[in-house]
């Protein structure tokens, strides 16, 4: 019967593969053309641009109101008043005091959009952007779709988050196209962003509002914040903008989504307070990220400079630098109503007054999570990849030095592969591969350079420095370089994990490969973006893409690399090797060094030192394991797999390791035991 | 009576909208205030709203083609028994078709262009309670299916014969049971046979100086028994109550026997009220034969009124406040802007230059001086009733509240025309059908805090569904708040579109109506406020009243009518 099950499973797989391939062809869609918005800025007066007649299109159901009216509507709302009364009763305080507190919270986070500030920004940003960037390219059709959407229903803008430039740029863009400026939910740490007094105030007047990054237990804060966002959404006051990723991705790799804000903006639809809500995924791709070196330092645990106003002024130095081109792709607005149709029953909300806070049902939570992942996948789909991204990926597999001609050849080869797998490459018009790579090298001369016909990383610090110093410099260069390769990872993750699984299992049996793939997908679930649940579909897509580029052939029961395919398979699996090896190192650290419960604050430096020593000894080459991002993801994955217990304490979380479970996972990585999973049950 | 009424449309034969030789719209007949008047702006409104054109016309068949009508199959033994009772009956095709339908769009469409698959085999006319007892007994004896028929104004497919019904279907027409049996002035009640039509009841009571005050929009044609069977609601329920508040005693003939109470009292505590099994049973349990109903002296004074609000939101807020203060007049209704415009289009040609000048002045005052946007403003119509002094006092109270919500008094005339329109509006569908425009109304009840959201979302849903289904012109999608209660309101929607270019308009129409109903339920509205469930809305009964609730109703049906003699398949 096992055999029978297997055949049945294989039939399903091959059938789905067929379906999948058909779908793929249908969905391999044409993307919009780009337009450079700086071009006109370079030709005409910035002042006139800033003072232009600005009459943005607005939501058709909007009843005009001032920011202050919104604030008082929020304070007087049944929702906030309810929580105030509750808290007053519980704490035995007078409601007036809590009301006072609510007012303060609202003032701290509230925005006060003023046209003057907007014009000031329009002028200054024009000046700054023109100096920083060569081009700012936008898909105009996307802007037109957005314009249409804004008039029809409340709109939520969901940009990717790689830099502080993101929200400045997006507001700038909407101003340029005469669209309503968004109100932005920007997270603030303690002395983080609000510390920048002047800039903070200006941003506030340009429409940003601020939420504390952590307000776990504070019910009043949550109530005021949620009501504030919902009030603006319901009234169609302005598009709401926030980052699904929650924070800037330090690695240029999309972070797994946060659900809190998304569920807030969906609630008015669930409660029938709006007819529909549009979710608009926006992909902002930087040829060179402004904060790239800051990020690398941060990942290595060197404290980042505070984002103070004076710090920003010092950053003037940056202004003389060149950061290449920005691509902004405004995706198709997605109707929440359409997403929810047939999935969400809104009737349960009818039996309780709508202002009472309700814990979302499991259905709703699952739906919010699915939508969040879907939006991030849409962001990824339209991220623009520059030639340098391809070159960086090649270079990282050929350290310490690579022949220049070979790099060009390989980059061109990778271009084809990337396009086959659906990657969105912007290759400057008619530019030959050599020029493209050279221009990438010029732009990123801080990372790599050409020496005697070879490309090498810029990892030389002080000559004859201590071993530690050399390792650190090298790690810095590699992490910076990896920031660019990382932009490819989510494009390749499905075929690559199939490739890794092929190598790890050393088997051609489809069932075994799938089982290993599925295991890898679970382990890397915090590292890469997978739509929840559909492991088999991801596997099929991976296999399909590998077949499409002639890397493998599949039969009913087997998968095997073709002759010329082994190059692709090993390239793709090598691309992900830093993660496989990095996770192994981290797991090993956990097994060796942690006998008692620990906190994240102890874990990060601990594992960093552990890896650092290994690098110094030369017993590993996996510099990327030094990245705190990878370390956190690995820990989170173990928590999800149940191999590490996470416990909430008064002062944060502590972790304790289940040695046996971690050992087992590590063994699977080392492929010492055959991977066994109840495959049939999953299918 | 059948002769007076249209066989393929709403209402009286002599009353209808037409386009006269000049191409102007006109309402014929003398029955309504609008009768014989020319409506100069109406044509333009139709063309603008629906993209309809007078050149594209469809016409109904002139009369029923008898050959299409399914044959009458009645067994001879039953006919013999029936003849012995002396109850009149008919197997004539036209008589049977006339009782095979209500007034849902698809039913009228079938009349105009096709034929029903199943219609009653025989029509019987009992003249009293005893006749009904005999008929039900015969039906039980011969295992026939009875479908009670009152005024025939159902809009829930309740009168449609189940296609799969193999037994002989008897249409039991109550129209000959139309006497007032007695009037009790001491207790202010009247015992009336259930077949009496609303306007006859009021006319006859008025001769003795009384009224019931129950005025559903269909009161010209609908019957007392029908009101009971569907849980009807009247326009003036704020003073007189809905049917459940008016009824004191009901006599119903069921296959199990006669069900009634032993006394005629205002209230009793004897377990669940059996009246509530009967009211809303939609002809599934038996035939209501006699009803004792509350009566009131005819009011001394009536006054219409109207208020213009700057927008619908303010209007709803005003109605809510009126309900909160429990000072609603006999009737208070709020129409949205689209319906206001529609009412405007039905304004007859004015008689003198003076009135025309006055109209212009009013318009100028409201739009220019008060700054109301004619494309946003909305209107509430009011009807006050009672003794003169109290009415005037009441009127002041309501207008004072309206002022607080930005309302402006807009005159008696506008109010009166508003109410007249509710009777005339039903005739419009027949005109629309001639020009590729189909439409219907539907209703719901909803808590106050959700009124605005529900109105907006349902209208928008209709527009979106039309677009998705390939309807080429934006539909008319409009609503009015027609009743206010302590905890909520009744909302009435009109929906119509031009179906040119669509091959199966009725199917498209039904899909859209269904989507609209789903939107209503999602928005916290009820399945029905007063139209009932019939067969049209059966699919949502379970989610409306829960499995157990449905089981409770089913067990009543099983006990009362185990052989499903009353087999119209409504409700359950």
């Amino acid at each position: 019967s096992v055999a029978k099950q297997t055949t049945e499973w294989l039939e399903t797989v091959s059938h789905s593969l067929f379906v999948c391939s058909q779908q793929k062809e249908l969905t391999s869609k044409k993307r919009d053309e780009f337009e450079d918005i700086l071009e006109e800025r370079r030709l005409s007066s910035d002042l006139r641009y800033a003072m232009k007649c600005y009459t943005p299109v607005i939501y058709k159901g909007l009843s005009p109101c001032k920011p202050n009216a919104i604030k008082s509507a929020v304070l007087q709302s049944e929702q906030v008043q309810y929580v105030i009364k509750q808290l007053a009763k519980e704490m035995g305080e007078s409601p007036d005091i809590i009301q006072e507190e609510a007012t303060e919270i609202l003032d701290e986070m509230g925005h006060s959009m003023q046209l003057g500030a907007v014009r000031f920004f329009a002028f200054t940003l024009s000046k700054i952007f023109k100096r920083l960037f060569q081009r700012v390219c936008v898909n105009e059709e996307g802007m037109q779709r957005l314009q249409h959407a804004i008039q029809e229903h409340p709109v939520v803008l969901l940009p990717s988050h790689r830099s502080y430039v993101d929200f400045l740029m997006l507001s700038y863009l909407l101003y340029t196209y005469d669209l309503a400026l968004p109100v932005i939910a920007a997270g603030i740490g303690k002395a983080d962003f609000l510390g920048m007094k002047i800039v903070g105030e200006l941003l506030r007047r340009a429409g940003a509002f601020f939420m504390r990054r952590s307000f776990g237990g504070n019910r009043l804060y949550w109530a005021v914040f949620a009501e504030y966002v919902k009030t603006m959404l319901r009234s169609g006051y302005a598009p709401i903008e926030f980052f699904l990723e929650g924070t800037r991705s330090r690695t240029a790799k999309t972070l797994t989504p946060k659900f809190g804000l998304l569920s807030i903006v969906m609630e008015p639809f669930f409660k029938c307070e709006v007819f529909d809500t549009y979710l608009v995924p926006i992909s902002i791709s930087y040829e060179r990220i402004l904060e790239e070196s800051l990020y690398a330092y941060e990942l290595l645990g060197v404290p980042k400079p505070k984002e103070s106003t004076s710090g920003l002024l010092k950053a003037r130095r940056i202004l003389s630098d060149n950061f290449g081109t920005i691509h902004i792709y405004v995706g198709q607005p997605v109707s929440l109503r359409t997403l929810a149709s047939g999935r969400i029953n809104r009737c349960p909300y009818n039996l309780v007054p709508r202002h009472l806070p309700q814990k979302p049902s499991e259905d709703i939570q699952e739906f919010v999570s699915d939508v969040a992942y879907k939006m991030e996948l849409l962001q990824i789909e339209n991220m623009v990849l520059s030639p340098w991204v391809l070159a960086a990926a090649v270079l990282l597999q050929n350290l310490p030095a690579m022949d220049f001609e070979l790099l060009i050849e390989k980059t061109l080869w990778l271009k084809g592969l990337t396009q086959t797998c659906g990657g969105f490459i912007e290759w400057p018009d008619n530019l030959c591969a050599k020029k493209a790579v050279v221009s990438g090298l010029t732009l990123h001369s801080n990372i790599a350079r050409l020496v005697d016909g070879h490309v090498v990383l810029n990892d030389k610090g002080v000559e004859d420095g201590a071993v530690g110093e050399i390792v650190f410099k090298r790690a810095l260069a590699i992490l910076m370089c990896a920031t660019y390769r990382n932009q490819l990872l989510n494009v390749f993750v499905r075929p690559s994990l199939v490739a890794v699984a092929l190598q790890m299992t050393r088997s051609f049996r489809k069932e075994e490969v799938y089982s290993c793939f599925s295991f890898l997908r679970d382990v890397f679930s915090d590292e890469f973006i997978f739509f929840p649940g559909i492991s088999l579909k991801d596997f099929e897509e991976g296999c399909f893409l590998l077949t499409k580029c002639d890397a493998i052939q599949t039969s009913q029961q087997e998968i095997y690399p073709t002759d010329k395919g082994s190059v692709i398979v090993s390239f793709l699996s090598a691309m992900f090797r830093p993660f496989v090896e990095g996770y192994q190192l981290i797991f090993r650290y956990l097994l060796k060094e942690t006998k008692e419960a620990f906190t994240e604050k102890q874990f990060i430096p601990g594992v960093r030192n552990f890896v650092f020593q290994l690098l110094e000894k030369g017993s590993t080459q996996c510099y990327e394991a030094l990245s705190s991002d990878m370390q956190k993801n690995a820990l989170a994955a173990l928590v999800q797999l149940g191999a590490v217990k996470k416990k909430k304490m008064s002062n944060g979380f502590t972790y304790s390791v289940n040695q046996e479970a971690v050992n087992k996972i590590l063994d699977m990585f080392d492929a010492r035991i055959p991977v066994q999973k109840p495959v049939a049950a999953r299918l | 009576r059948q002769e007076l009424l249209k066989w393929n449309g709403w209402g009286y034969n002599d009353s209808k909208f037409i386009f006269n030789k000049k191409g102007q719209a006109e309402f014929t007949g003398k029955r309504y205030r609008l009768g014989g008047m020319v409506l100069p702006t109406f044509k333009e409104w139709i063309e603008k709203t629906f993209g309809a054109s007078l050149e594209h016309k469809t016409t109904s068949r002139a009369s029923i083609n008898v050959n299409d009508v399914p044959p009458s199959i009645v067994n001879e033994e039953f006919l013999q028994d029936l003849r012995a009772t002396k109850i009149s009956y008919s197997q004539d095709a036209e008589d049977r078709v006339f009782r095979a339908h209500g007034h849902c769009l698809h039913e009228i469409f079938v009349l105009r262009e096709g034929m029903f698959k199943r219609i009653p085999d025989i029509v019987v006319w009992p003249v009293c309670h005893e006749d009904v007892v005999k008929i039900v007994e015969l039906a039980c004896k011969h295992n026939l299916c009875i479908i009670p028929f009152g005024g025939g104004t159902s809009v829930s497919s309740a009168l449609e014969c189940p296609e799969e019904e193999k037994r002989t279907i008897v249409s039991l027409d109550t129209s000959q049971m139309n006497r007032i049996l007695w009037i009790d002035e001491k207790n202010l009640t009247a015992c009336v046979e259930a077949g009496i039509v609303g306007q006859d009841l009021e006319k006859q009571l008025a001769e003795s100086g009384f009224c019931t005050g129950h005025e559903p929009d269909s009161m010209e044609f609908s019957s007392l028994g029908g009101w009971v069977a569907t849980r009807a609601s009247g326009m003036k329920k704020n003073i007189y109550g809905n049917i459940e508040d008016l009824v004191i005693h009901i006599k119903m003939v069921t296959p199990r026997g006669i069900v009634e109470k032993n006394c005629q009292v205002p209230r009793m505590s004897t377990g669940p009220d059996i009246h509530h099994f009967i009211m809303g049973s939609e002809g599934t349990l038996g035939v209501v034969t006699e009803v004792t109903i509350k009566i009131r002296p005819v009011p001394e004074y009536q006054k219409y009124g109207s208020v213009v609000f700057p927008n619908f939101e303010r209007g709803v807020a005003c109605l809510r406040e009126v309900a909160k203060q429990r000072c609603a007049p006999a009737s208070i209704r709020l129409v949205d802007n689209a319906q206001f415009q529609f009412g405007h289009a039905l304004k007859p040609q004015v008689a003198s230059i003076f009135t025309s000048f006055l109209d212009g002045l009013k318009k100028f005052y409201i739009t220019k001086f008060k700054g109301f946007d004619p494309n946003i403003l909305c209107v509430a119509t009011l009807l006050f009733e009672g003794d003169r002094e109290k009415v005037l006092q009441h009127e002041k109270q309501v207008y004072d509240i309206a002022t607080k919500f930005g309302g402006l008094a807009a005159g008696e005339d506008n109010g009166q025309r508003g109410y007249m329109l509710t009777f005339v509006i039903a005739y419009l569908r027949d005109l629309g059908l001639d020009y590729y425009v189909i439409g219907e109304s539907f209703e719901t009840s909803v808590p106050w805090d959700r009124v605005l959201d529900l109105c907006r979302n349902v209208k928008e849903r209709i527009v979106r569904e039309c677009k998705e289904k390939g309807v080429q012109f934006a539909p008319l999608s409009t609503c009015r708040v027609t009743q206010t209660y302590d905890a909520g309101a009744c909302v009435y929607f009109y929906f119509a579109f031009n179906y040119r270019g669509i091959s199966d308009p009725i199917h498209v129409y039904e899909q859209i109506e269904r989507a609209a109903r789903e939107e209503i339920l999602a928005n916290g509205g009820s399945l029905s406020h007063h139209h009932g469930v019939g067969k049209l809305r059966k699919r949502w009964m379970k989610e409306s009243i829960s499995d157990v609730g449905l089981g409770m109703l089913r067990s009543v049906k099983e006990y009362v009518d185990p052989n499903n003699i009353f087999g119209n398949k409504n409700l359950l």
Side-chain angles (χ1 to χ4, degrees), chain A residues 378-664:
Chain A
L378 286 171
Q379 283 176 5
I380 290 168
E381 191 179 294
N382 291 321
M383 284 297 227
V384 168
L385 308 165
S386 66
W388 167 249
V389 165
L390 306 174
V394 173
L395 187 60
L396 276 176
Q397 290 191 26
N398 294 279
L399 292 180
M402 187 178 186
D403 179 65
F404 183 52
E405 295 299 331
L406 189 61
L407 176 65
I408 293 166
E409 186 190 316
K410 275 289 205 178
T411 302
L412 203 56
W413 170 80
L414 183 54
K415 180 187 170 202
L417 192 62
T418 308
Q419 278 165 335
T420 316
C421 290
F424 186 7
I425 298 180
E426 268 290 296
W427 197 274
D429 282 337
N430 306 322
L431 208 56
C432 70
K434 185 169 179 178
K435 277 194 183 145
V437 174
V438 168
S439 116
L441 274 172
T442 322
L443 192 64
H444 298 278
S445 55
N446 57 331
I447 297 176
R449 67 203 145 96
L450 195 56
V451 181
D452 304 331
H454 280 75
V455 178
V456 292
L457 280 187
N458 256 345
D459 54 1
K460 297 287 174 287
V462 199
E463 288 295 326
D464 321 317
V467 189
E469 184 77 359
I470 293 170
V471 170
F472 183 81
K473 285 279 177 201
R474 195 162 170 74
L476 210 56
I478 287 181
L479 284 186
M480 262 161 56
C481 197
T483 306
Y484 294 93
R485 175 215 55 202
N486 283 350
Q487 298 177 27
L488 279 181
L489 294 181
N490 275 308
V491 174
F492 282 116
V493 66
R494 288 160 196 83
S496 288
L497 290 192
V498 173
V500 174
L502 273 170
Q503 294 196 333
M504 276 174 70
T505 53
R506 284 183 228 103
S507 160
F508 300 131
R509 291 195 50 219
K510 220 179 217 176
E511 197 183 345
E512 259 177 69
V513 178
Y514 171 67
S515 178
C516 179
F517 172 90
S518 183
F519 161 75
L520 289 169
R521 187 181 178 277
D522 289 344
V523 172
F524 290 133
S525 63
D526 283 279
E527 199 72 53
F528 309 109
I529 306 301
F530 298 104
F531 192 83
I534 50 162
S535 185
L536 183 60
K537 224 176 139 200
D538 282 335
F539 178 68
E540 284 162 3
E541 195 184 317
C543 290
F544 166 73
L545 290 173
L546 286 177
T547 319
K548 197 171 151 195
C549 47
D550 290 330
I552 57 166
Q553 281 183 330
T554 54
S555 71
Q556 283 272 309
Q557 308 182 6
E558 292 190 323
I559 300 180
Y560 40 91
T562 57
D563 292 341
K564 86 176 220 225
S566 58
V567 181
I568 296 177
V569 169
S570 42
F571 180 85
L572 289 182
S573 86
M575 190 188 269
F576 284 73
R577 187 161 304 136
F579 294 92
V580 175
E581 282 179 20
Y583 272 52
Q584 283 172 315
L585 288 177
I586 294 163
F587 295 163
R588 230 162 253 147
Y589 162 77
L590 284 172
L591 285 176
K592 267 193 201 149
E593 308 289 327
T594 57
K595 303 293 174 222
E596 289 157 22
F598 57 93
T599 64
E600 194 183 275
K601 276 213 177 99
Q602 295 166 320
F603 166 71
I604 299 287
V607 68
R608 187 190 303 131
N609 286 337
F610 175 77
V611 176
F612 208 88
Q613 280 164 18
L614 292 179
L615 285 165
E616 280 182 329
K617 274 188 270 174
S619 47
T620 178
Q621 286 300 313
C622 185
Y623 283 86
E624 291 186 47
L626 285 173
S627 154
S628 59
D629 184 65
M630 185 187 290
Q631 294 155 3
K632 283 177 200 163
N633 289 340
L635 187 62
L638 288 181
V639 171
Q640 261 180 24
L641 293 171
V644 167
K645 283 261 168 321
K646 187 175 176 180
K647 242 201 259 162
K648 192 169 180 172
M649 304 299 260
S650 56
N651 54 346
F653 293 99
T654 64
Y655 300 83
S656 50
V657 175
N658 176 344
Q659 295 271 336
E660 200 187 329
V662 175
N663 233 327
K664 218 169 146 191

Side-chain angles (χ1 to χ4, degrees), chain B residues 139-197:
Chain B
C140 292
K141 181 178 161 196
H142 296 280
N143 190 26
L144 313 177
C145 169
I146 298 179
I147 299 185
F149 181 90
T153 56
S154 150
V155 281
S156 58
S157 303
L159 288 169
E160 270 185 343
C161 301
E163 270 176 41
E164 66 283 1
E165 181 60 69
K166 295 284 186 292
R167 301 172 294 180
T168 294
I169 297 181
V170 181
S171 176
L172 190 154
D173 186 323
T174 59
S175 61
Q176 304 310 305
M177 307 198 300
N178 56 6
R179 292 165 299 167
I180 295 178
L181 297 177
W182 45 256
I183 294 175
D184 177 349
E185 299 193 12
K186 291 204 184 68
N187 294 310
L188 285 178
T189 55
C191 185
V192 188
E193 285 183 317
I196 195 166
V197 167

Side-chain angles (χ1 to χ4, degrees), chain B residues 5 12 16 18 107 142 175 195 200 232 248 256 268 385 395 399 441-442 454 466 477 497 522 533 554 562:
Chain B
L5 302 181
Y12 299 105
K16 62 184 171 215
I18 56 155
E107 295 171 314
H142 296 280
S175 61
D200 296 345
I248 294 293
R256 275 272 171 203
M268 56 203 270
E385 244 183 50
E395 191 186 20
Y399 279 109
S441 59
F442 51 91
L454 181 130
C466 279
S477 167
F497 64 88
V533 176
R554 277 207 183 109

Side-chain angles (χ1 to χ4, degrees), chain B residues 304-355:
Chain B
Y304 289 97
S306 62
V307 182
V308 184
F309 291 99
N311 56 45
F312 193 63
E313 288 75 11
R314 302 284 280 166
V316 170
C318 174
L319 260 62
R320 204 280 162 266
E321 183 61 29
V322 167
K324 199 188 245 169
Q325 298 192 18
R326 293 202 169 161
C327 64
S331 168
I332 178 166
R333 287 176 171 178
L334 179 77
V335 304
D336 69 1
N337 184 264
Q339 235 171 99
F340 158 75
Q341 306 237 5
F342 165 61
H344 214 69
L346 283 178
K347 243 184 172 170
Q349 198 160 34
V350 282
S352 71
I353 296 181
F354 180 69
T355 11

Side-chain angles (χ1 to χ4, degrees), chain A residues 60 152-153 271-276 278 335 337-338 346-347 349-350 352 354, chain B residues 449-450 453-454 456-458 460-461 464 467 518-519 521-525 543:
Chain A
K60 64 179 177 199
E152 256 187 291
H153 298 297
K271 292 191 171 174
C272 296
E273 292 164 335
V274 295
F275 180 75
D276 198 352
Y278 277 129
S335 149
R337 178 174 273 267
T338 310
R346 290 177 288 165
C347 290
Y349 287 100
N350 293 338
V352 183
R354 289 186 288 183
Chain B
D449 71 317
R450 291 169 172 272
D453 288 331
L454 181 130
R456 180 196 54 235
N457 290 349
V458 172
E460 180 112 29
R461 177 75 182 262
R464 194 184 263 206
K467 209 187 217 169
E518 251 144 33
E519 192 64 34
L521 296 176
N523 279 266
E543 70 176 278

Side-chain angles (χ1 to χ4, degrees), chain B residues 207-475:
Chain B
E207 286 165 13
S208 323
F210 294 105
C211 67
T212 63
H214 186 70
E215 294 185 12
D217 289 355
S218 60
M219 71 172 292
E220 303 162 280
F221 311 105
S222 58
S223 68
L224 173 57
W227 300 340
V228 171
T230 56
R231 288 182 70 86
S233 168
M235 177 181 100
K236 298 195 287 197
K237 71 95 194 156
N238 292 334
I239 294 183
Y240 301 97
N242 287 318
I243 196 72
E244 67 272 22
D245 310 308
L246 286 164
V247 160
I248 294 293
H249 185 267
I250 304 172
K251 202 189 256 184
M252 179 164 79
V253 180
T254 75
R256 275 272 171 203
I258 292 157
V259 54
E260 62 179 326
K261 292 182 184 174
N262 73 331
C263 53
Q264 309 208 337
V265 293
R267 179 176 195 274
M268 56 203 270
S269 175
T270 47
D273 192 338
I274 54 161
H275 282 174
H276 284 285
F277 289 127
I278 299 171
M279 285 186 289
S281 59
E282 305 193 352
T284 57
L285 298 178
V287 186
V288 177
T289 54
E290 290 169 14
V291 179
T292 304
I293 190 167
K294 293 200 271 189
I295 54 172
R296 300 285 306 163
V298 172
E300 171 195 316
Y301 186 60
Q302 261 199 345
K303 192 172 184 191
Y304 289 97
S306 62
V307 182
V308 184
F309 291 99
N311 56 45
F312 193 63
E313 288 75 11
R314 302 284 280 166
V316 170
C318 174
L319 260 62
R320 204 280 162 266
E321 183 61 29
V322 167
K324 199 188 245 169
Q325 298 192 18
R326 293 202 169 161
C327 64
S331 168
I332 178 166
R333 287 176 171 178
L334 179 77
V335 304
D336 69 1
N337 184 264
Q339 235 171 99
F340 158 75
Q341 306 237 5
F342 165 61
H344 214 69
L346 283 178
K347 243 184 172 170
Q349 198 160 34
V350 282
S352 71
I353 296 181
F354 180 69
T355 11
S356 146
F357 173 73
L358 221 58
D359 278 351
L361 212 63
K362 263 190 260 171
K363 193 174 165 190
F364 178 81
Y365 176 72
I366 288 177
T367 59
K368 294 292 174 329
F369 193 72
K370 283 288 172 180
F372 284 18
D373 182 340
N375 293 314
I376 297 178
L377 63 81
C378 72
V379 181
T381 57
L382 309 166
L383 172 60
F384 298 90
E385 244 183 50
D387 55 65
R388 198 184 148 83
E389 209 166 301
K390 275 190 190 148
V391 162
L392 295 178
Q393 212 181 333
H394 193 179
E395 191 186 20
K396 184 173 180 312
Q397 188 186 5
V398 172
Y399 279 109
D400 283 350
I401 295 173
T403 312
K404 281 190 198 131
F405 292 89
L408 285 177
E412 281 182 64
D413 195 52
N414 279 322
Q416 191 174 6
R417 216 182 49 247
Y419 287 102
M420 181 263 304
L421 283 183
T422 44
F423 293 108
V424 171
I425 208 167
Y427 286 92
L428 260 180
R429 186 170 70 195
D430 297 324
L431 178 76
L433 280 168
D434 287 342
Y435 296 96
Y436 291 92
V437 174
I438 50 177
E440 183 101 277
S441 59
F442 51 91
E443 42 74 38
T444 187
S445 49
V446 59
W448 277 116
D449 71 317
R450 291 169 172 272
V451 170
L452 284 175
D453 288 331
L454 181 130
C455 289
R456 180 196 54 235
N457 290 349
V458 172
K459 286 197 272 184
E460 180 112 29
R461 177 75 182 262
I462 289 171
V463 172
R464 194 184 263 206
E465 292 285 333
C466 279
K467 209 187 217 169
E468 281 170 16
K469 303 276 179 313
V471 175
Q472 310 202 344
F473 301 91

